[in-house]
Amino acid sequence: MAENKSWVLMVTAQTPTNIAVIKYWGKRDENLILPINDSISVTLDPAHLCTTTTVAVSPSFTQDRMWLNGKEISLSGGRYQSCLREIRSRATDVEDEKKGIRITKEDWQNLHLHIASYNNFPTAAGLASSAAGLACLVFSLAKLMNVKEDNSQLSAIARQGSGSACRSLFGGFVKWIMGKDESGSDSIAVQLADEKHWDELVILIAVVSSRQKETSSTSGMRETVETSPLVLHRAKEVVPKRIIEMEEAIQNRDFPAFARLSCSDSNQFHAVCLDTSPPIFYMNDTSHRIISCVEKWNRSEGTPQVAYTFDAGPNAVMIARNRKTAALLLQRLLFHFPPQSDVDINSYIVGDKSILQDAGIHDLKDVEALPPPPEIKDSIQTQNFKGDVSYFICTRPGRGPVLLTEDSQALLNPDTGLPK
Amino acid sequence: MAENKSWVLMVTAQTPTNIAVIKYWGKRDENLILPINDSISVTLDPAHLCTTTTVAVSPSFTQDRMWLNGKEISLSGGRYQSCLREIRSRATDVEDEKKGIRITKEDWQNLHLHIASYNNFPTAAGLASSAAGLACLVFSLAKLMNVKEDNSQLSAIARQGSGSACRSLFGGFVKWIMGKDESGSDSIAVQLADEKHWDELVILIAVVSSRQKETSSTSGMRETVETSPLVLHRAKEVVPKRIIEMEEAIQNRDFPAFARLSCSDSNQFHAVCLDTSPPIFYMNDTSHRIISCVEKWNRSEGTPQVAYTFDAGPNAVMIARNRKTAALLLQRLLFHFPPQSDVDINSYIVGDKSILQDAGIHDLKDVEALPPPPEIKDSIQTQNFKGDVSYFICTRPGRGPVLLTEDSQALLNPDTGLPK
């Protein structure tokens, strides 16, 4: 190691979040985070939803430290520690001739790290920020420490930070194989298809206002496994068939099968939550209304136009078969869930705002002028629920982790190793 | 048969409604209404929730006619027709010497009936009015036609009108045995214990306001059986054990077991509804909040104070272990769900209003003065949801069907056989 104590070596990476379409719910090993069934996810475009993480090493650092969205947080949690330990154990020699830095495999055990992480979306909105965050931590540390393992092998480390994080190591369509080994070495993520394979899909997320305090997914899934008489039947008998069918649907870009499986599996996940003692409710009346709206439309069209899926919260993630259906979906959603009158439409629809043009929406007046969707026959269903959706995000399937090489993109100061 | 065409022979009966604590959801035979699992219910006190039915026969009647709550309705539905056919086929000779009436077994095939039925609670409130109604129809016709079958055998007829109606042929605690025979002859209700066996229990029903149009239970359970991958596992693996445990809990007046089983089975029924394609939601945010309130209290007491169960709608049926806990429950419910300010407390709590005294509530001011329940630590949970409950009904386990012999209690005019 160089004697000069002033150097700081940094890596910055960006990692996407992901949404499961065949759900992970329940662990067979709490410490290693080994699931009771395979799961499949779609990676979301990091342009709209991602974590950026800068990791730095310097002989001047006296302890491992981490900042999340600018605020220092503790790294003492078991899950962070697992990831740091696993990554450090795979570190190899690093040499930066330009800076005159040489770190040996053994040095990594004694060097401290600074980590700064930033989500480009609200952390508390229930949008799988921990998945993107832990994946980005592992990915960026692996690059910093010259870890030779591939992304699937890294996914087994990210998995120990947050189960669903393992699926954020790839873009496109990803399967988390539950594995059989007690060590967890075969419980890894693999890419089923990249984001270009099925690039027609458009994703609309409704961030739903909630007055409920939610059960964390960690304790929720533990309680489900301990108390639900249905969850093991789901894991052993139902999910394996759905995994095969979902892989086929993705391979064949078979939207009706993709939608049927996504919706059924989301609903079954929430069913086993309800079958838990005490029951866990993640969806609320707004979630239910969004489902009814989509189901009614799909039914009236004869074939599914939109899939929906809900994670451990009330937010709806809707996947439209193409841009045209996404625009029609947005019209329906805005009809039922218009913004409050003091809200600018441009802050009500975020992400890929071009969907607004496709839907013919330029301002609030256009929203107010929306006619009831033709599939609605009953006047009771033309009610609107202003304020029940906080905002919408329009996005698409996206790429996996990437390194950001511009200095300006780093979150840590290259001289001090402290947040900029 | 007497030559004189002017006579009218009448019978009036009163039949309770019932609430399942191990749920019936799913038929193996749609026509005969044969279920996929046993179920167990508590009969509710007819003083607060019941159907009164008068059935009349006269040679002057030209067709079968029925009035429900004063309005003539059609009897052409298959379910009414099944009940009428089955009852007529079991009719025997009837003689009323005083009136000089003699009807032979064969005459019943040609004589027409007038039926008037009245619910002492709102029909549309989702309080199992069809169970009480069909049970009362079958019971009163059986008495009119001198049918010799006992109530269990009559239950197999009522079952063909509305599945859960079979359980309204008995008071107290009732099991509907699914049976094995294809004819349905062994799919009958039996009494597990009468209402005096466990007379401490107090039942509070929250009639929940709903903006949703609900799926009928008939089509709902058909869709669940056709599409839910979990429902058969429930019927075959989960319910049989719960039935044994629930019978024991009732026999031993073991409230903690009774509550645990009731709550779990209600939640599992709603779970399989959610596992249906498209999903069925009967509970809404208000239902969820009531569950959270009860679960939190039960947990804080260390042992269950209250059981809850929800049928095919958002209304909560809560069973308190005794009057004291019922009063404490009412205080909690009124804290979270106070009446609108223009509502009289006496129309907000109906049924056995003496619970108000027990809870120390005399007027709206007492409601406003209620402190947050001590188990609530979090200020977010002290919100109130005024208007989300329409009203409460306080009742208890009650008796089975009875004949009403006072002329004044008949719903049909004894001379004309038309509604009074």
Side-chain angles (χ1 to χ4, degrees):
Chain A
M1 186 161 26
E3 287 304 298
N4 175 4
K5 278 205 139 196
S6 72
W7 58 264
V8 175
L9 189 67
M10 297 199 324
V11 161
T12 299
Q14 183 197 61
T15 302
T17 185
N18 72 80
I19 177 78
V21 287
I22 300 292
K23 298 293 187 190
Y24 153 54
W25 195 253
K27 300 184 181 76
R28 61 181 202 273
D29 184 311
E30 290 274 336
N31 286 323
L32 292 170
I33 311 196
L34 301 176
I36 58 173
N37 55 253
D38 294 351
S39 54
I40 292 177
S41 61
V42 179
T43 299
L44 305 186
D45 189 342
H48 310 123
L49 292 160
C50 72
T51 295
T52 302
T53 300
T54 298
V55 290
V57 64
S58 167
S60 67
F61 296 167
T62 55
Q63 55 172 321
D64 293 341
R65 295 178 72 184
M66 179 165 177
W67 295 265
L68 177 60
N69 295 326
K71 204 182 147 194
E72 184 157 11
I73 61 165
S74 165
L75 273 171
S76 64
R79 295 178 163 205
Y80 281 120
Q81 289 300 318
S82 296
C83 288
L84 291 175
R85 188 185 58 243
E86 294 292 320
I87 280 285
R88 276 197 169 100
S89 74
R90 287 166 178 82
T92 68
D93 296 354
V94 170
E95 195 158 358
D96 186 324
E97 287 188 11
K98 218 166 53 185
K99 292 192 180 171
I101 303 169
R102 189 166 180 274
I103 311 172
T104 67
K105 185 175 158 56
E106 292 71 31
D107 291 336
W108 288 108
Q109 301 299 324
N110 305 310
L111 285 165
H112 292 290
L113 301 163
H114 281 188
I115 302 159
S117 199
Y118 173 79
N119 300 321
N120 70 346
F121 57 95
T123 306
L127 295 168
S129 55
S130 69
L134 270 299
C136 207
L137 176 73
V138 169
F139 182 79
S140 54
L141 285 174
K143 298 306 160 196
L144 179 73
M145 298 185 184
N146 198 23
V147 170
K148 308 290 192 192
E149 272 78 357
D150 66 17
N151 279 14
S152 270
Q153 291 165 311
L154 293 182
S155 78
I157 302 174
R159 189 202 73 227
Q160 297 176 56
S162 168
S164 55
C166 71
R167 296 185 311 238
S168 275
L169 267 303
F170 295 98
F173 302 84
V174 184
K175 174 160 85 160
W176 175 8
I177 300 165
M178 63 180 285
K180 290 177 180 169
D181 200 275
E182 277 185 25
S183 73
S185 61
D186 58 353
S187 187
I188 57 170
V190 295
Q191 188 177 55
L192 297 175
D194 71 16
E195 62 277 18
K196 289 176 206 108
H197 167 71
W198 199 353
D199 62 359
E200 276 187 295
L201 301 179
V202 177
I203 299 173
L204 253 179
I205 302 170
V207 178
V208 169
S209 320
S210 171
R211 296 201 286 180
Q212 302 282 104
K213 202 186 162 188
E214 279 152 29
T215 310
S216 83
S217 57
T218 302
S219 62
M221 68 177 79
R222 187 190 313 121
E223 287 163 20
T224 300
V225 171
E226 285 170 2
T227 65
S228 164
L230 299 178
V231 71
L232 284 183
H233 182 73
R234 159 175 167 72
K236 291 185 177 167
E237 305 296 328
V238 183
V239 174
K241 287 178 199 140
R242 286 183 174 171
I243 289 282
I244 294 168
E245 289 172 27
M246 182 58 96
E247 287 194 55
E248 275 180 23
I250 291 168
Q251 218 51 60
N252 303 329
R253 291 182 283 264
D254 176 351
F255 190 81
F258 176 83
R260 183 178 51 75
L261 290 162
S262 300
C263 299
S264 298
D265 207 65
S266 172
N267 290 327
Q268 188 168 88
F269 149 50
H270 292 277
V272 298
C273 288
L274 190 43
D275 190 46
T276 302
S277 291
I280 304 165
F281 313 110
Y282 287 121
M283 297 199 288
N284 63 17
D285 285 350
T286 308
S287 315
H288 293 176
R289 288 187 185 108
I290 291 173
I291 289 180
S292 297
C293 165
V294 171
E295 289 281 0
K296 204 167 289 146
W297 185 31
N298 281 344
R299 185 161 289 203
S300 77
E301 295 286 334
T303 183
Q305 303 302 307
V306 177
Y308 57 80
T309 188
F310 294 72
D311 269 357
N315 299 336
V317 177
M318 290 160 278
I319 307 175
R321 61 189 310 159
N322 55 40
R323 279 192 78 79
K324 195 179 150 203
T325 57
L328 293 168
L329 171 64
L330 183 62
Q331 290 174 346
R332 283 166 170 80
L333 293 169
L334 288 173
F335 175 81
H336 292 293
F337 305 99
Q340 304 273 21
S341 12
D342 57 346
V343 170
D344 177 15
I345 192 77
N346 279 297
S347 59
Y348 198 58
I349 315 287
V350 303
D352 175 7
K353 289 179 198 287
S354 70
I355 192 72
L356 279 168
Q357 275 67 56
D358 294 26
I361 305 286
H362 304 92
D363 54 30
L364 272 186
K365 277 183 196 154
D366 295 329
V367 174
E368 283 158 13
L370 284 169
E375 65 272 16
I376 290 187
K377 306 282 185 282
D378 193 337
S379 67
I380 200 177
Q381 294 160 349
T382 63
Q383 295 174 85
N384 79 54
F385 299 93
K386 203 176 272 192
D388 287 358
V389 169
S390 300
Y391 58 96
F392 293 97
I393 304 168
C394 182
T395 185
R396 66 178 76 81
R399 68 179 181 195
V402 290
L403 285 174
L404 302 181
T405 51
E406 298 285 321
D407 284 349
S408 64
Q409 294 168 307
L411 303 175
L412 295 171
N413 182 307
D415 299 322
T416 63
L418 290 169
K420 282 182 177 173
Chain B
M1 188 162 27
E3 286 306 296
N4 176 4
K5 278 203 137 194
S6 71
W7 58 263
V8 175
L9 189 66
M10 297 199 324
V11 161
T12 299
Q14 183 197 62
T15 302
T17 185
N18 72 79
I19 178 77
V21 287
I22 301 292
K23 298 292 188 191
Y24 153 53
W25 195 253
K27 302 184 181 78
R28 63 181 202 274
D29 185 309
E30 289 275 336
N31 285 324
L32 292 171
I33 310 194
L34 300 177
I36 58 173
N37 55 253
D38 293 351
S39 54
I40 291 178
S41 60
V42 179
T43 299
L44 305 186
D45 189 342
H48 310 124
L49 293 160
C50 72
T51 295
T52 302
T53 299
T54 299
V55 289
V57 62
S58 167
S60 68
F61 296 167
T62 56
Q63 55 173 320
D64 292 340
R65 296 177 73 182
M66 178 164 178
W67 294 263
L68 177 60
N69 295 327
K71 203 183 145 193
E72 185 157 11
I73 62 165
S74 166
L75 273 171
S76 64
R79 295 176 162 206
Y80 280 121
Q81 289 300 317
S82 296
C83 288
L84 291 174
R85 188 186 58 243
E86 294 292 320
I87 280 285
R88 275 196 170 102
S89 74
R90 288 166 178 82
T92 68
D93 296 354
V94 170
E95 194 159 359
D96 185 325
E97 284 189 12
K98 218 164 58 183
K99 292 192 179 173
I101 302 170
R102 190 168 178 273
I103 309 173
T104 67
K105 184 174 161 53
E106 292 72 30
D107 290 337
W108 288 108
Q109 300 300 324
N110 304 311
L111 285 165
H112 292 290
L113 301 163
H114 281 188
I115 302 160
S117 200
Y118 173 79
N119 299 321
N120 69 347
F121 59 95
T123 306
L127 295 167
S129 55
S130 69
L134 270 298
C136 207
L137 176 73
V138 168
F139 182 79
S140 55
L141 286 174
K143 298 306 161 194
L144 179 74
M145 298 184 183
N146 198 22
V147 169
K148 308 290 190 190
E149 271 78 357
D150 66 19
N151 279 14
S152 271
Q153 290 164 311
L154 293 182
S155 79
I157 302 174
R159 191 202 72 226
Q160 297 176 59
S162 168
S164 55
C166 72
R167 296 186 311 240
S168 274
L169 267 303
F170 295 98
F173 302 84
V174 184
K175 173 159 85 158
W176 174 8
I177 299 165
M178 64 181 285
K180 290 178 178 169
D181 201 277
E182 277 185 25
S183 73
S185 60
D186 58 354
S187 187
I188 58 169
V190 295
Q191 189 177 54
L192 297 175
D194 70 16
E195 63 276 18
K196 290 177 204 106
H197 167 70
W198 198 354
D199 61 0
E200 276 188 296
L201 301 179
V202 177
I203 299 173
L204 253 179
I205 302 170
V207 179
V208 169
S209 321
S210 171
R211 295 200 287 180
Q212 302 281 102
K213 203 186 161 189
E214 280 151 29
T215 309
S216 82
S217 56
T218 302
S219 62
M221 68 176 78
R222 188 190 313 121
E223 287 163 21
T224 299
V225 171
E226 284 171 3
T227 66
S228 165
L230 299 178
V231 71
L232 284 184
H233 183 74
R234 160 176 165 72
K236 290 184 178 167
E237 304 297 328
V238 183
V239 174
K241 287 177 201 141
R242 287 183 173 170
I243 289 283
I244 293 167
E245 289 171 29
M246 182 58 97
E247 286 192 55
E248 274 180 26
I250 290 169
Q251 217 52 57
N252 303 330
R253 290 182 284 263
D254 175 351
F255 190 80
F258 176 83
R260 182 178 52 75
L261 290 162
S262 299
C263 299
S264 299
D265 207 66
S266 173
N267 291 327
Q268 187 168 89
F269 148 51
H270 292 278
V272 299
C273 288
L274 189 44
D275 190 47
T276 302
S277 291
I280 303 166
F281 313 110
Y282 287 122
M283 296 200 289
N284 63 18
D285 285 350
T286 308
S287 315
H288 293 176
R289 287 186 185 110
I290 291 172
I291 289 180
S292 297
C293 164
V294 171
E295 289 281 0
K296 204 165 290 146
W297 184 31
N298 280 345
R299 186 163 288 204
S300 77
E301 294 285 335
T303 182
Q305 304 302 307
V306 177
Y308 57 80
T309 188
F310 293 73
D311 269 356
N315 299 335
V317 177
M318 290 160 278
I319 307 175
R321 62 188 311 159
N322 56 40
R323 279 192 78 79
K324 193 178 152 205
T325 58
L328 293 169
L329 172 64
L330 183 61
Q331 290 174 345
R332 283 165 169 81
L333 293 169
L334 288 173
F335 175 80
H336 292 293
F337 305 100
Q340 305 273 21
S341 13
D342 57 346
V343 170
D344 177 16
I345 192 77
N346 280 297
S347 59
Y348 198 58
I349 316 288
V350 303
D352 176 6
K353 288 177 198 288
S354 69
I355 192 72
L356 279 168
Q357 274 68 56
D358 294 25
I361 305 285
H362 305 94
D363 53 31
L364 272 186
K365 278 185 195 152
D366 294 328
V367 174
E368 284 158 13
L370 284 169
E375 66 272 16
I376 290 187
K377 306 283 185 284
D378 192 337
S379 68
I380 198 176
Q381 294 160 349
T382 62
Q383 295 175 84
N384 80 53
F385 299 92
K386 203 176 269 191
D388 287 358
V389 169
S390 300
Y391 58 96
F392 292 98
I393 304 169
C394 183
T395 185
R396 65 178 76 83
R399 69 178 181 195
V402 290
L403 284 175
L404 302 181
T405 50
E406 299 284 319
D407 284 350
S408 64
Q409 294 168 307
L411 303 175
L412 295 171
N413 181 307
D415 300 319
T416 64
L418 291 169
K420 280 180 177 174

